[in-house]
Amino acid sequence: MHSGRGRTVTRLETFRGLTSEIDGVEKPLIVLALLKLWNLVCELFPLFLYSALINKILVEKKIEILWAVILGYFLVFVFLTIGISLSKKFSNRLLLKYDMKVKCKLLKKYMAIDSKAYNVGDIKTRIENDSIVAGNFFITHILDFGYSIIYAIVLACILICYDWRIAFLSFIFIPVAFLVIDFFGKKTKQTGEELRKLQTMNETFLHTTFQNWKDVKINNLEEIQFDELNRQYKRIRRIWFLNQLYLHVGITFSFFTKNFITQLYIYFIGGFFVICGYSRVGALLVFVKFYEQFFGCIQAISNSMMNYKNDFVKIEKVVEILNIDTCNKPYKKIEESDVVVEDLEFAYKGNEFFGLKNISFAVRKGEHLAIVGASGSGKSTIAKLLTGQLKPHNGIINIGNVNINEVDSKSLYDKISIIVQEPMLFNMTIKENFMLVKDSVTDQELIECCRRASIYDFIETLPDKFETIIGEKGVKLSGGQKQRLAIARAFLQNRDIIIFDESTSALDSEKEQDIITEIKCLASEKTLISIAHRLSSILDCDKVMVIKDGRIMALDTHENLRNKDRNYDLLFENQYIIS
């Protein structure tokens, strides 16, 4: 849902956008709406009690009904307190449930789409901050806004019944207030959009700096980073000031209209009517009391209009992701383990001149394929296509006679494990990182997998062993230790197809040879694909595929390619012998 230039999206459209993918909102809103009506009735009664106090007790001297008025005020207080307490209970429950659901839904949507279209700061802002504003929409911009409108209409009818002449004369300021609010609301929305862009850029900058703080220190970039941070804050500060200025000028104008212009005008007109005999003092006092409540509702409506324009900038970002069609595909259990690729083509957006062209190969169960080539030739891109992280522009990828583009990601991930050069490890204990792939893992399974990945002896040297917290992205571990943990985690998953994407590049020869031995033991039962930069990783593979500039230059065994294929020989001499 996009507002478009100059078009205001209605609250109903926003409501549909926020609830199209999330259920369980309508029923709590109905309960809260009924409680709002309860509170409306409770808030009307004090006005009528005030009318009785002025007209019956002060003007007509009926002192005997004073106790009834006092009792009425007490009962109103009790019932209003009950209504407010119940409203708070249900509204908090609604906000917590929606916040949890919308955050989960946003995460799922981001995982299902090409997340590279959004930077880290944008994703973080949408999930952490914008989703909270979206949750508050139901209370602030639906219930409270609707309550103010209904209350204002009821009070307007009462005012007309009391004195239609003063009522209609006092209503002339309302259109003026709304026109001014609309003007400042548009300014608030414009600056809000610009402010959000700057804040998103700042979030991305901070995230990148924190993640690469070692490189920043090593290259003595602290001052440069701080200078850039200060420049960003200066830009944010200027736009934030304008945004808050427009927002509060609009709100202040509404307050000024209510407390100065309107009330002075009513006292002047009302006093003139009393002097001329068109009204009575008691009726004027009651009218003013009702009008204070009425214009309070008008002020609440105008403030809501201002805040809606300001909040919509953030709400729109949530709706945009919620309404993305992720093409829900069915789950299908893939039985076989053969990988067959036919006429595969792919190019990254903005770099159409380079891409994969006419890639065709097959890896059967029990075979081990090595994919080799210079940096940037397309090896890792093939791995991402095989695991569904990227979608091919043309061609077919079949796993076990199932086209992977016709099934959901879970079908694929239940069949394939991939181990990358920089594995994703979380700021948890070693055991908890394993439990992410198998929550029921036993201690014996942990030990066995870690032994096979040559990481167990190191874990045993740690004071807390498997309960050791390894830091964000495994920052407390070396590159080789992280890779071995990732390999052990893949062994625990025990998928039928395993892809090694330069996953032993940080290991020394001895550790690498131990893992290669384990991989040999898997070869008869699994389908293995290795993207390698070392000769040792290639020699034991059944086939070697040479990639150059996104095309297959050769596909055969190492023995058949060596000294017979020029592309392979050049690669072997320039890169693999050096390795």
Side-chain angles (χ1 to χ4, degrees):
M1 177 190 68
H2 296 282
S3 60
R5 188 173 294 277
R7 178 178 175 268
T8 301
V9 177
T10 65
R11 283 171 169 79
L12 181 58
E13 289 175 306
T14 304
F15 177 83
R16 288 171 178 167
L18 289 173
T19 56
S20 61
E21 294 279 333
I22 299 175
D23 56 6
V25 175
E26 289 82 359
K27 289 182 179 179
L29 278 179
I30 292 172
V31 174
L32 286 168
L34 293 173
L35 288 171
K36 281 289 184 182
L37 289 175
W38 171 284
N39 292 341
L40 188 148
V41 173
C42 290
E43 289 189 7
L44 278 174
F45 263 101
L47 298 175
F48 290 106
L49 292 172
Y50 179 80
S51 176
L53 182 66
I54 296 297
N55 293 322
K56 299 297 182 182
I57 298 174
L58 296 181
V59 176
E60 299 180 13
K61 308 298 183 181
K62 294 182 179 179
I63 304 300
E64 64 275 7
I65 68 170
L66 178 61
W67 288 107
V69 172
I70 295 173
L71 179 62
Y73 272 113
F74 175 76
L75 291 174
V76 166
F77 169 76
V78 172
F79 287 120
L80 191 58
T81 301
I82 293 172
I84 292 173
S85 300
L86 290 173
S87 294
K88 282 292 182 183
K89 176 183 177 180
F90 283 100
S91 63
N92 288 339
R93 185 181 298 176
L94 171 63
L95 291 175
L96 287 172
K97 283 187 176 181
Y98 185 83
D99 186 60
M100 179 184 67
K101 287 182 178 180
V102 75
K103 281 181 167 63
C104 290
K105 182 63 71 173
L106 288 172
L107 278 172
K108 288 180 180 179
K109 289 282 186 176
Y110 274 118
M111 291 177 182
I113 62 177
D114 182 11
S115 58
K116 290 184 179 179
Y118 305 91
N119 58 49
V120 174
D122 184 60
I123 295 173
K124 187 173 180 291
T125 300
R126 294 193 197 210
I127 293 176
E128 290 186 357
N129 302 327
D130 296 350
S131 61
I132 296 174
V133 177
N136 289 329
F137 165 82
F138 301 107
I139 306 299
T140 305
H141 299 300
I142 293 291
L143 289 175
D144 291 347
F145 182 71
Y147 172 83
S148 298
I149 290 176
I150 294 172
Y151 198 11
I153 292 172
V154 172
L155 289 171
C157 294
I158 294 172
L159 289 171
I160 292 171
C161 291
Y162 259 94
D163 196 317
W164 63 270
R165 291 162 298 192
I166 301 178
F168 282 120
L169 287 171
S170 64
F171 291 162
I172 63 174
F173 288 102
I174 296 173
V176 176
F178 283 139
L179 286 172
V180 173
I181 292 300
D182 183 64
F183 171 78
F184 283 109
K186 289 177 180 177
K187 292 290 186 181
T188 301
K189 184 172 181 290
Q190 290 172 2
T191 53
E193 290 173 344
E194 189 174 354
L195 178 63
R196 192 188 182 285
K197 289 178 182 177
L198 291 174
Q199 288 174 332
T200 297
M201 290 171 58
N202 181 250
E203 286 276 4
T204 303
F205 174 79
L206 288 173
H207 179 84
T208 305
T209 302
F210 289 145
Q211 282 209 318
N212 300 286
W213 65 271
K214 285 185 177 179
D215 293 329
V216 171
K217 288 178 71 68
I218 290 171
N219 293 287
N220 196 27
L221 299 175
E222 291 100 323
E223 290 299 323
I224 295 174
Q225 295 297 90
F226 281 125
D227 289 343
E228 175 60 25
L229 188 63
N230 286 328
R231 282 193 293 270
Q232 289 184 7
Y233 279 144
K234 286 178 181 178
R235 291 196 295 268
I236 289 173
R237 188 169 60 231
R238 184 179 68 84
I239 300 300
W240 179 86
F241 174 78
L242 288 174
N243 176 260
Q244 294 299 302
L245 178 66
Y246 290 135
L247 177 64
H248 287 94
V249 165
I251 293 173
T252 303
F253 176 81
S254 177
F255 177 82
F256 177 75
T257 304
K258 172 191 173 185
N259 290 282
F260 292 92
I261 299 176
T262 306
Q263 287 193 9
L264 289 175
Y265 177 76
I266 290 174
Y267 280 125
F268 175 78
I269 295 295
F272 177 77
F273 276 31
V274 169
I275 292 171
C276 294
Y278 297 130
S279 183
R280 293 173 288 108
V281 173
L284 177 61
L285 291 174
V286 173
F287 184 93
V288 170
K289 185 66 175 178
F290 273 87
Y291 193 83
E292 286 178 358
Q293 293 292 321
F294 169 74
F295 210 85
C297 293
I298 298 300
Q299 186 179 13
I301 293 169
S302 61
N303 291 348
S304 180
M305 291 169 61
M306 284 288 298
N307 290 322
Y308 176 67
K309 290 179 184 294
N310 192 47
D311 290 346
F312 182 75
V313 176
K314 300 176 181 179
I315 295 171
E316 185 180 27
K317 302 300 180 183
V318 174
V319 175
E320 177 190 342
I321 302 302
L322 290 179
N323 290 349
I324 288 178
D325 184 10
T326 54
C327 299
N328 293 326
K329 298 172 183 177
Y331 173 83
K332 185 175 182 178
K333 183 174 177 58
I334 302 174
E335 300 293 343
E336 301 298 325
S337 303
D338 295 346
V339 177
V340 179
V341 177
E342 298 177 359
D343 301 320
L344 192 67
E345 293 187 4
F346 175 81
Y348 287 101
K349 187 176 180 181
N351 188 20
E352 286 77 10
F353 296 103
F354 169 79
L356 299 176
K357 292 281 188 180
N358 303 320
I359 302 294
S360 297
F361 63 90
V363 192
R364 307 298 175 183
K365 180 179 178 180
E367 290 184 341
H368 190 171
L369 170 70
I371 303 177
V372 300
S375 297
S377 59
K379 305 184 301 296
S380 293
T381 300
I382 292 175
K384 291 177 181 178
L385 288 163
L386 291 174
T387 53
Q389 298 176 60
L390 298 174
K391 304 299 178 186
H393 296 169
N394 288 304
I396 297 173
I397 302 174
N398 284 331
I399 295 179
N401 296 319
V402 175
N403 187 335
I404 68 170
N405 288 318
E406 295 177 356
V407 295
D408 67 354
S409 57
K410 190 176 187 304
S411 307
L412 202 55
Y413 299 152
D414 284 348
K415 196 69 177 176
I416 300 178
S417 287
I418 181 168
I419 310 159
V420 296
Q421 187 175 12
E422 289 290 335
M424 176 56 69
L425 298 171
F426 293 87
N427 189 20
M428 303 173 176
T429 66
I430 294 173
K431 184 175 182 178
E432 286 170 339
N433 270 276
F434 279 97
M435 290 174 67
L436 291 172
V437 298
K438 187 177 180 181
D439 57 3
S440 59
V441 61
T442 64
D443 290 343
Q444 188 57 42
E445 287 175 321
L446 277 179
I447 293 171
E448 181 184 350
C449 292
C450 290
R451 283 190 191 279
R452 292 168 63 190
S454 300
I455 190 67
Y456 179 70
D457 291 342
F458 164 72
I459 294 173
E460 282 296 297
T461 65
L462 299 173
D464 296 323
K465 297 181 171 52
F466 282 101
E467 299 301 324
T468 302
I469 296 175
I470 59 177
E472 187 175 356
K473 286 193 171 184
V475 70
K476 297 180 181 180
L477 304 176
S478 69
Q481 290 162 353
K482 288 190 284 186
Q483 287 187 345
R484 280 180 282 156
L485 267 185
I487 292 170
R489 194 163 60 181
F491 288 157
L492 179 64
Q493 282 182 298
N494 196 30
R495 300 287 191 258
D496 293 332
I497 302 170
I498 304 178
I499 300 174
F500 299 89
D501 187 358
E502 301 181 26
S503 55
T504 60
S505 59
L507 303 184
D508 58 45
S509 299
E510 182 181 351
K511 297 296 183 185
E512 184 187 27
Q513 194 57 50
D514 291 340
I515 291 173
I516 288 173
T517 302
E518 285 296 328
I519 293 173
K520 284 182 185 178
C521 297
L522 293 173
S524 61
E525 304 171 358
K526 310 288 184 183
T527 303
L528 305 178
I529 298 174
S530 291
I531 295 170
H533 271 112
R534 289 183 177 179
L535 175 61
S536 55
S537 303
I538 299 170
L539 293 175
D540 293 308
C541 293
D542 300 295
K543 290 183 290 186
V544 179
M545 185 168 71
V546 183
I547 299 289
K548 182 179 180 182
D549 297 332
R551 291 167 174 79
I552 297 177
M553 306 308 294
L555 178 58
D556 209 329
T557 64
H558 168 70
E559 291 77 11
N560 290 339
L561 291 173
R562 185 75 178 107
N563 297 323
K564 296 177 183 178
D565 184 274
R566 183 172 179 274
N567 289 294
Y568 188 65
D569 285 343
L570 285 173
L571 188 67
F572 187 85
E573 292 168 4
N574 295 337
Q575 188 169 349
Y576 290 91
I577 286 180
I578 294 173
S579 299

